[in-house]
Short mmCIF file of all heavy atoms in Angstrom, two decimals:
data_model
loop_
_atom_site.label_atom_id
_atom_site.label_comp_id
_atom_site.label_asym_id
_atom_site.label_seq_id
_atom_site.Cartn_x
_atom_site.Cartn_y
_atom_site.Cartn_z
N LEU A 3 3.30 -23.77 -5.92
CA LEU A 3 3.30 -22.38 -5.74
C LEU A 3 3.18 -22.01 -4.26
O LEU A 3 2.36 -22.58 -3.50
CB LEU A 3 2.14 -21.75 -6.50
CG LEU A 3 2.16 -21.92 -8.01
CD1 LEU A 3 0.84 -21.36 -8.58
CD2 LEU A 3 3.36 -21.16 -8.68
N LYS A 4 3.95 -20.99 -3.80
CA LYS A 4 3.83 -20.49 -2.37
C LYS A 4 2.53 -19.61 -2.21
O LYS A 4 1.98 -19.52 -1.16
CB LYS A 4 5.13 -19.76 -2.01
CG LYS A 4 6.26 -20.68 -1.93
CD LYS A 4 7.56 -19.81 -1.59
CE LYS A 4 8.77 -20.69 -1.39
NZ LYS A 4 10.01 -19.94 -1.06
N GLU A 5 2.23 -18.92 -3.26
CA GLU A 5 1.09 -17.98 -3.22
C GLU A 5 0.60 -17.86 -4.65
O GLU A 5 1.25 -18.25 -5.59
CB GLU A 5 1.47 -16.67 -2.66
CG GLU A 5 2.44 -15.82 -3.49
CD GLU A 5 2.73 -14.51 -2.97
OE1 GLU A 5 2.03 -14.01 -2.06
OE2 GLU A 5 3.83 -13.85 -3.34
N PRO A 6 -0.61 -17.43 -4.83
CA PRO A 6 -1.12 -17.21 -6.23
C PRO A 6 -0.13 -16.30 -6.98
O PRO A 6 0.28 -15.27 -6.35
CB PRO A 6 -2.49 -16.66 -6.07
CG PRO A 6 -3.01 -17.12 -4.69
CD PRO A 6 -1.65 -17.13 -3.88
N ALA A 7 0.08 -16.45 -8.16
CA ALA A 7 0.91 -15.55 -9.00
C ALA A 7 0.32 -14.24 -9.13
O ALA A 7 0.97 -13.25 -9.30
CB ALA A 7 1.17 -16.24 -10.40
N LEU A 8 -1.05 -14.24 -8.95
CA LEU A 8 -1.73 -12.91 -9.01
C LEU A 8 -1.29 -11.95 -7.87
O LEU A 8 -1.41 -10.77 -8.08
CB LEU A 8 -3.29 -13.24 -8.88
CG LEU A 8 -3.93 -14.02 -10.09
CD1 LEU A 8 -5.34 -14.17 -9.87
CD2 LEU A 8 -3.57 -13.39 -11.41
N ALA A 9 -0.96 -12.54 -6.64
CA ALA A 9 -0.50 -11.71 -5.66
C ALA A 9 0.85 -11.00 -6.03
O ALA A 9 1.03 -9.79 -5.76
CB ALA A 9 -0.18 -12.56 -4.40
N VAL A 10 1.77 -11.75 -6.68
CA VAL A 10 3.00 -11.20 -7.15
C VAL A 10 2.69 -10.13 -8.24
O VAL A 10 3.27 -9.02 -8.16
CB VAL A 10 3.86 -12.26 -7.82
CG1 VAL A 10 5.12 -11.65 -8.41
CG2 VAL A 10 4.11 -13.39 -6.83
N LEU A 11 1.66 -10.43 -9.10
CA LEU A 11 1.37 -9.37 -10.23
C LEU A 11 0.77 -8.19 -9.56
O LEU A 11 1.10 -7.07 -9.95
CB LEU A 11 0.28 -10.08 -11.11
CG LEU A 11 -0.25 -9.17 -12.17
CD1 LEU A 11 0.79 -8.44 -13.01
CD2 LEU A 11 -1.26 -9.98 -13.02
N ALA A 12 -0.10 -8.29 -8.63
CA ALA A 12 -0.79 -7.17 -8.03
C ALA A 12 0.30 -6.28 -7.31
O ALA A 12 0.26 -5.04 -7.44
CB ALA A 12 -1.76 -7.53 -6.91
N ARG A 13 1.19 -6.84 -6.60
CA ARG A 13 2.29 -6.08 -5.93
C ARG A 13 3.19 -5.31 -6.90
O ARG A 13 3.58 -4.23 -6.76
CB ARG A 13 3.06 -7.02 -4.91
CG ARG A 13 2.35 -7.36 -3.67
CD ARG A 13 3.32 -7.94 -2.67
NE ARG A 13 3.85 -9.15 -3.07
CZ ARG A 13 3.37 -10.42 -2.80
NH1 ARG A 13 2.24 -10.49 -2.08
NH2 ARG A 13 4.02 -11.57 -3.24
N GLU A 14 3.44 -6.06 -8.04
CA GLU A 14 4.33 -5.52 -9.06
C GLU A 14 3.70 -4.35 -9.76
O GLU A 14 4.38 -3.38 -10.11
CB GLU A 14 4.82 -6.60 -10.03
CG GLU A 14 5.91 -6.18 -11.05
CD GLU A 14 7.28 -5.76 -10.38
OE1 GLU A 14 7.41 -6.06 -9.18
OE2 GLU A 14 8.08 -5.19 -11.12
N ALA A 15 2.41 -4.51 -9.99
CA ALA A 15 1.65 -3.43 -10.68
C ALA A 15 1.64 -2.24 -9.83
O ALA A 15 1.79 -1.03 -10.27
CB ALA A 15 0.21 -3.86 -11.00
N TYR A 16 1.51 -2.42 -8.45
CA TYR A 16 1.45 -1.30 -7.49
C TYR A 16 2.83 -0.60 -7.61
O TYR A 16 2.82 0.64 -7.59
CB TYR A 16 1.32 -1.96 -6.17
CG TYR A 16 0.93 -1.10 -5.08
CD1 TYR A 16 -0.34 -0.47 -4.97
CD2 TYR A 16 1.76 -0.90 -3.95
CE1 TYR A 16 -0.78 0.32 -3.89
CE2 TYR A 16 1.42 -0.16 -2.80
CZ TYR A 16 0.19 0.51 -2.83
OH TYR A 16 -0.20 1.22 -1.71
N ARG A 17 3.90 -1.34 -7.66
CA ARG A 17 5.31 -0.76 -7.67
C ARG A 17 5.50 -0.01 -9.02
O ARG A 17 6.02 1.11 -9.01
CB ARG A 17 6.30 -1.93 -7.64
CG ARG A 17 7.79 -1.43 -7.58
CD ARG A 17 8.74 -2.41 -7.87
NE ARG A 17 8.59 -2.96 -9.21
CZ ARG A 17 9.13 -2.34 -10.25
NH1 ARG A 17 9.68 -1.21 -10.15
NH2 ARG A 17 8.93 -2.84 -11.47
N VAL A 18 4.98 -0.59 -10.11
CA VAL A 18 5.17 0.06 -11.44
C VAL A 18 4.42 1.41 -11.42
O VAL A 18 5.01 2.40 -12.06
CB VAL A 18 4.62 -0.86 -12.54
CG1 VAL A 18 4.46 -0.02 -13.80
CG2 VAL A 18 5.55 -2.06 -12.74
N LEU A 19 3.39 1.53 -10.73
CA LEU A 19 2.64 2.77 -10.59
C LEU A 19 3.31 3.86 -9.75
O LEU A 19 2.89 4.93 -9.62
CB LEU A 19 1.23 2.54 -10.07
CG LEU A 19 0.25 2.06 -11.09
CD1 LEU A 19 -0.99 1.40 -10.49
CD2 LEU A 19 -0.19 3.18 -12.12
N GLY A 20 4.39 3.44 -9.08
CA GLY A 20 5.09 4.28 -8.24
C GLY A 20 4.49 4.66 -6.91
O GLY A 20 4.50 5.62 -6.36
N LEU A 21 3.76 3.52 -6.46
CA LEU A 21 3.03 3.62 -5.16
C LEU A 21 3.65 2.84 -4.00
O LEU A 21 4.50 1.95 -4.20
CB LEU A 21 1.58 3.06 -5.35
CG LEU A 21 0.81 3.78 -6.50
CD1 LEU A 21 -0.51 2.99 -6.73
CD2 LEU A 21 0.47 5.20 -6.23
N GLN A 22 3.28 3.29 -2.79
CA GLN A 22 3.80 2.56 -1.64
C GLN A 22 2.64 2.73 -0.57
O GLN A 22 1.70 3.44 -0.70
CB GLN A 22 5.01 3.13 -1.07
CG GLN A 22 4.97 4.56 -0.58
CD GLN A 22 6.36 5.09 -0.11
OE1 GLN A 22 7.37 4.54 -0.37
NE2 GLN A 22 6.34 6.25 0.53
N SER A 23 2.79 1.98 0.59
CA SER A 23 1.81 2.01 1.61
C SER A 23 2.33 2.34 2.92
O SER A 23 3.54 2.16 3.20
CB SER A 23 1.23 0.49 1.80
OG SER A 23 0.64 -0.05 0.58
N TYR A 24 1.52 3.00 3.70
CA TYR A 24 1.74 3.21 5.07
C TYR A 24 0.53 2.66 5.86
O TYR A 24 -0.48 2.25 5.27
CB TYR A 24 2.04 4.68 5.41
CG TYR A 24 0.83 5.60 5.52
CD1 TYR A 24 0.07 5.77 6.68
CD2 TYR A 24 0.36 6.30 4.35
CE1 TYR A 24 -1.05 6.52 6.69
CE2 TYR A 24 -0.74 7.12 4.43
CZ TYR A 24 -1.42 7.23 5.58
OH TYR A 24 -2.55 8.04 5.65
N PHE A 25 0.64 2.52 7.18
CA PHE A 25 -0.36 1.89 7.92
C PHE A 25 -0.85 2.76 9.16
O PHE A 25 -0.13 3.46 9.65
CB PHE A 25 0.13 0.54 8.51
CG PHE A 25 0.62 -0.44 7.51
CD1 PHE A 25 1.98 -0.36 7.14
CD2 PHE A 25 -0.28 -1.23 6.85
CE1 PHE A 25 2.46 -1.32 6.15
CE2 PHE A 25 0.25 -2.03 5.87
CZ PHE A 25 1.53 -2.15 5.54
N THR A 26 -2.16 2.58 9.41
CA THR A 26 -2.71 3.14 10.70
C THR A 26 -3.20 1.82 11.41
O THR A 26 -3.68 0.83 10.84
CB THR A 26 -3.84 4.02 10.45
OG1 THR A 26 -4.89 3.48 9.65
CG2 THR A 26 -3.37 5.33 9.88
N ALA A 27 -3.02 1.83 12.73
CA ALA A 27 -3.34 0.68 13.49
C ALA A 27 -4.01 1.00 14.84
O ALA A 27 -3.63 1.96 15.63
CB ALA A 27 -2.09 -0.14 13.85
N GLY A 28 -5.18 0.36 15.03
CA GLY A 28 -5.94 0.61 16.34
C GLY A 28 -6.90 -0.59 16.51
O GLY A 28 -7.01 -1.54 15.79
N GLU A 29 -7.62 -0.44 17.51
CA GLU A 29 -8.63 -1.58 17.89
C GLU A 29 -9.68 -1.70 16.78
O GLU A 29 -10.26 -2.72 16.60
CB GLU A 29 -9.27 -1.30 19.20
CG GLU A 29 -8.31 -1.43 20.39
CD GLU A 29 -8.99 -1.20 21.69
OE1 GLU A 29 -10.20 -1.01 21.80
OE2 GLU A 29 -8.25 -1.29 22.78
N LYS A 30 -10.08 -0.53 16.15
CA LYS A 30 -11.12 -0.59 15.17
C LYS A 30 -10.65 -1.35 13.92
O LYS A 30 -11.35 -2.26 13.33
CB LYS A 30 -11.55 0.83 14.78
CG LYS A 30 -12.71 0.89 13.81
CD LYS A 30 -13.17 2.30 13.55
CE LYS A 30 -14.23 2.28 12.50
NZ LYS A 30 -14.69 3.82 12.21
N GLU A 31 -9.41 -0.94 13.38
CA GLU A 31 -8.98 -1.53 12.21
C GLU A 31 -7.42 -1.37 12.15
O GLU A 31 -6.87 -0.37 12.58
CB GLU A 31 -9.66 -1.04 10.92
CG GLU A 31 -9.32 0.46 10.67
CD GLU A 31 -10.05 1.05 9.49
OE1 GLU A 31 -11.06 0.46 9.01
OE2 GLU A 31 -9.52 2.08 8.96
N VAL A 32 -6.76 -2.30 11.36
CA VAL A 32 -5.39 -2.08 10.86
C VAL A 32 -5.53 -1.91 9.40
O VAL A 32 -6.06 -2.83 8.71
CB VAL A 32 -4.53 -3.31 11.20
CG1 VAL A 32 -3.14 -3.08 10.55
CG2 VAL A 32 -4.35 -3.38 12.78
N ARG A 33 -5.08 -0.77 8.93
CA ARG A 33 -5.43 -0.42 7.60
C ARG A 33 -4.24 -0.01 6.74
O ARG A 33 -3.33 0.71 7.25
CB ARG A 33 -6.48 0.76 7.57
CG ARG A 33 -6.93 1.14 6.04
CD ARG A 33 -8.05 2.18 6.18
NE ARG A 33 -8.67 2.43 4.97
CZ ARG A 33 -9.93 2.29 4.72
NH1 ARG A 33 -10.74 1.87 5.81
NH2 ARG A 33 -10.48 2.48 3.57
N ALA A 34 -4.02 -0.35 5.61
CA ALA A 34 -3.01 0.03 4.68
C ALA A 34 -3.52 1.20 3.78
O ALA A 34 -4.74 1.15 3.31
CB ALA A 34 -2.50 -0.98 3.69
N TRP A 35 -2.72 2.27 3.57
CA TRP A 35 -3.12 3.42 2.82
C TRP A 35 -2.19 3.57 1.60
O TRP A 35 -0.95 3.40 1.82
CB TRP A 35 -3.14 4.62 3.63
CG TRP A 35 -4.11 4.60 4.76
CD1 TRP A 35 -3.91 4.19 6.03
CD2 TRP A 35 -5.47 5.06 4.83
NE1 TRP A 35 -4.95 4.25 6.85
CE2 TRP A 35 -5.95 4.76 6.11
CE3 TRP A 35 -6.39 5.61 3.84
CZ2 TRP A 35 -7.33 5.06 6.50
CZ3 TRP A 35 -7.57 5.94 4.28
CH2 TRP A 35 -8.03 5.68 5.54
N THR A 36 -2.79 3.98 0.48
CA THR A 36 -1.88 4.12 -0.70
C THR A 36 -1.46 5.53 -0.87
O THR A 36 -2.21 6.48 -0.74
CB THR A 36 -2.69 3.72 -2.05
OG1 THR A 36 -3.07 2.38 -1.84
CG2 THR A 36 -1.80 3.91 -3.29
N ILE A 37 -0.13 5.73 -1.10
CA ILE A 37 0.45 7.06 -1.36
C ILE A 37 1.42 6.92 -2.40
O ILE A 37 2.05 5.88 -2.57
CB ILE A 37 1.07 7.70 -0.02
CG1 ILE A 37 2.11 6.68 0.53
CG2 ILE A 37 0.03 8.10 0.92
CD1 ILE A 37 2.94 7.35 1.73
N PRO A 38 1.82 7.97 -3.14
CA PRO A 38 2.94 7.91 -4.09
C PRO A 38 4.22 7.85 -3.36
O PRO A 38 4.29 8.43 -2.25
CB PRO A 38 2.80 9.28 -4.93
CG PRO A 38 1.46 9.77 -4.58
CD PRO A 38 1.10 9.19 -3.23
N ILE A 39 5.22 7.26 -3.94
CA ILE A 39 6.57 7.31 -3.36
C ILE A 39 7.00 8.73 -3.28
O ILE A 39 6.78 9.57 -4.26
CB ILE A 39 7.43 6.49 -4.24
CG1 ILE A 39 7.13 4.91 -4.15
CG2 ILE A 39 8.96 6.60 -3.83
CD1 ILE A 39 7.85 4.04 -5.17
N ALA A 40 7.63 9.07 -2.18
CA ALA A 40 8.15 10.43 -1.88
C ALA A 40 7.06 11.37 -1.43
O ALA A 40 7.23 12.60 -1.31
CB ALA A 40 8.83 11.01 -3.11
N ALA A 41 5.86 10.91 -1.06
CA ALA A 41 4.90 11.77 -0.48
C ALA A 41 5.26 12.26 0.79
O ALA A 41 5.95 11.61 1.58
CB ALA A 41 3.51 10.96 -0.44
N THR A 42 4.93 13.47 1.23
CA THR A 42 5.15 14.07 2.48
C THR A 42 4.02 13.61 3.44
O THR A 42 3.07 13.09 3.16
CB THR A 42 5.17 15.52 2.48
OG1 THR A 42 3.78 16.02 2.12
CG2 THR A 42 6.14 16.11 1.45
N ALA A 43 4.39 13.80 4.73
CA ALA A 43 3.52 13.36 5.81
C ALA A 43 2.14 14.09 5.76
O ALA A 43 1.12 13.42 5.85
CB ALA A 43 4.13 13.71 7.23
N PRO A 44 2.07 15.42 5.46
CA PRO A 44 0.62 16.06 5.25
C PRO A 44 -0.09 15.40 4.05
O PRO A 44 -1.34 15.18 4.22
CB PRO A 44 1.03 17.52 4.95
CG PRO A 44 2.30 17.75 5.68
CD PRO A 44 3.06 16.46 5.46
N GLN A 45 0.64 15.09 3.04
CA GLN A 45 -0.06 14.47 1.87
C GLN A 45 -0.59 13.14 2.24
O GLN A 45 -1.65 12.74 1.74
CB GLN A 45 0.97 14.41 0.62
CG GLN A 45 1.30 15.71 0.06
CD GLN A 45 2.49 15.59 -0.92
OE1 GLN A 45 3.39 14.76 -0.84
NE2 GLN A 45 2.50 16.57 -1.85
N ALA A 46 0.27 12.38 2.94
CA ALA A 46 -0.24 11.00 3.38
C ALA A 46 -1.42 11.19 4.27
O ALA A 46 -2.40 10.34 4.12
CB ALA A 46 0.86 10.36 4.11
N ALA A 47 -1.43 12.15 5.19
CA ALA A 47 -2.58 12.42 6.03
C ALA A 47 -3.79 12.76 5.16
O ALA A 47 -4.91 12.42 5.50
CB ALA A 47 -2.18 13.51 7.03
N GLY A 48 -3.62 13.48 4.10
CA GLY A 48 -4.76 13.85 3.24
C GLY A 48 -5.50 12.79 2.65
O GLY A 48 -6.59 12.91 2.19
N VAL A 49 -4.73 11.57 2.50
CA VAL A 49 -5.45 10.38 1.90
C VAL A 49 -6.50 9.94 2.83
O VAL A 49 -7.49 9.39 2.22
CB VAL A 49 -4.29 9.29 1.71
CG1 VAL A 49 -4.93 7.98 1.21
CG2 VAL A 49 -3.33 9.74 0.61
#
């Protein structure tokens, strides 16, 4: 196995829920944020 099958499952579950990620990046942290597919920029900021 290249990676645990659970990694594939987690990503696929995320997709099935209609979710996607965007990122913020700085010296403090690089972070992934969850938003629905087709979310607008203000909605993403609100997360």
Side-chain angles (χ1 to χ4, degrees):
L3 298 172
K4 294 181 179 179
E5 63 178 345
L8 298 180
V10 180
L11 173 57
R13 287 194 295 266
E14 186 64 12
Y16 196 68
R17 184 197 64 79
V18 166
L19 280 163
L21 304 174
Q22 64 182 13
S23 299
Y24 77 89
F25 303 93
T26 53
E29 293 182 359
K30 182 179 178 181
E31 65 180 22
V32 171
R33 186 181 190 120
W35 300 88
T36 300
I37 54 173
I39 292 172
T42 62
Q45 289 169 337
V49 172

